[in-house]
Amino acid sequence: SLVGVGPADLNSFEIPWFPAGLSEDGDRMRLVLLGTAQLQAGELESCIDLMARALRLEPQNPFAHINLGNALQGLGRLEEAVAAYDKALALRPDLVQLHNNRGVALLGLGRLEEALASFEQALALKPDYAEAHWNKALLLILTGRYREGWALYEWRLKKESGYDRFPQPSWRGGGGDAGNTIVLGTHEFDIAARAYRVIGIRDGKVDRDERMK
């Protein structure tokens, strides 16, 4: 999964609205902050335009390159995203999330060894970084390294985006479960169809509850 990266205090205040006609000689950081707001709102093309303007004013601004890379990745322009991340890394190789995001783009391109190296670099900087552990787990499973991949898979529970938490203990696949109910959350109908009982949730409400044959 992709992680947003920005100045350390970016989330400590609301980002105000700036007019679309912000002049080319305006404050460079305002352009970057507005681009971040557009990125968070899903306005990826607008973010790319703003970052191009910011980089004309300050080509060495790492956060402009990062926002650009994230927006490009969101549009599926992965080669360009990697190029933007590389420029940012040349300026700020210490940013853990940046290595992770670069790895995600490389994974999407099928450049698996490079992706793995990016995730491992992120973990070298921050060994408890759940997002990088999770992405590394998916890559290892994808490449058939199941034992290593599944061992890391539990990091999904520590991700910031999180998974639903249940008070019941997690099933570990061992014996001694006869008579117990195993609850599995999934978006895949073909998996759910194999269950004994299926409860469908829509907009936070139960819209289906049936026992499968």
Side-chain angles (χ1 to χ4, degrees), residues 111-160:
R111 293 159 58 178
L112 303 184
E113 290 300 323
E114 294 174 80
L116 181 59
S118 285
F119 297 142
E120 290 181 339
Q121 182 59 46
L123 293 170
L125 292 168
K126 187 177 180 182
D128 63 347
Y129 186 40
E131 293 286 346
H133 278 294
W134 162 249
N135 286 323
K136 181 179 177 181
L138 296 179
L139 187 153
L140 292 172
I141 292 169
L142 180 66
T143 55
R145 296 166 63 177
Y146 301 117
R147 186 179 297 276
E148 298 168 85
W150 287 118
L152 291 176
Y153 192 74
E154 293 304 300
W155 279 91
R156 74 192 191 282
L157 301 175
K158 298 181 181 180
K159 290 173 57 182
E160 289 184 8

Side-chain angles (χ1 to χ4, degrees), residues 22-102:
L22 187 64
S23 64
E24 202 68 85
D25 60 353
D27 180 9
R28 296 185 294 271
M29 186 51 71
R30 291 205 303 167
L31 282 168
V32 174
L33 290 174
L34 180 55
T36 301
Q38 294 293 83
L39 181 65
Q40 293 171 346
E43 299 293 338
L44 305 182
E45 295 286 0
S46 176
C47 176
I48 289 171
D49 178 65
L50 287 163
M51 293 309 94
R53 292 167 63 184
L55 289 167
R56 281 197 294 269
L57 293 170
E58 187 182 8
Q60 303 303 306
N61 187 313
F63 300 110
H65 286 295
I66 292 166
N67 276 348
L68 178 60
N70 289 347
L72 289 166
Q73 182 159 190
L75 291 172
R77 295 161 60 178
L78 301 182
E79 293 281 6
E80 296 171 84
V82 171
Y85 292 144
D86 285 343
K87 290 178 181 178
L89 279 171
L91 300 165
R92 290 293 304 272
D94 60 311
L95 291 176
V96 177
Q97 298 94 331
L98 180 50
H99 290 281
N100 179 73
N101 291 1
R102 181 177 183 270

Side-chain angles (χ1 to χ4, degrees), residues 3 11 13 16 27 48 67 71 81 124 136 141 149 155 160 165-166 174 188 190-192 195 201 209 212:
V3 179
N11 295 317
F13 58 92
D27 180 9
I48 289 171
N67 276 348
K136 181 179 177 181
I141 292 169
W155 279 91
E160 289 184 8
R165 303 295 196 271
F166 298 97
E188 303 295 336
D190 60 334
I191 296 176
I201 306 293
D209 186 349
M212 309 301 287

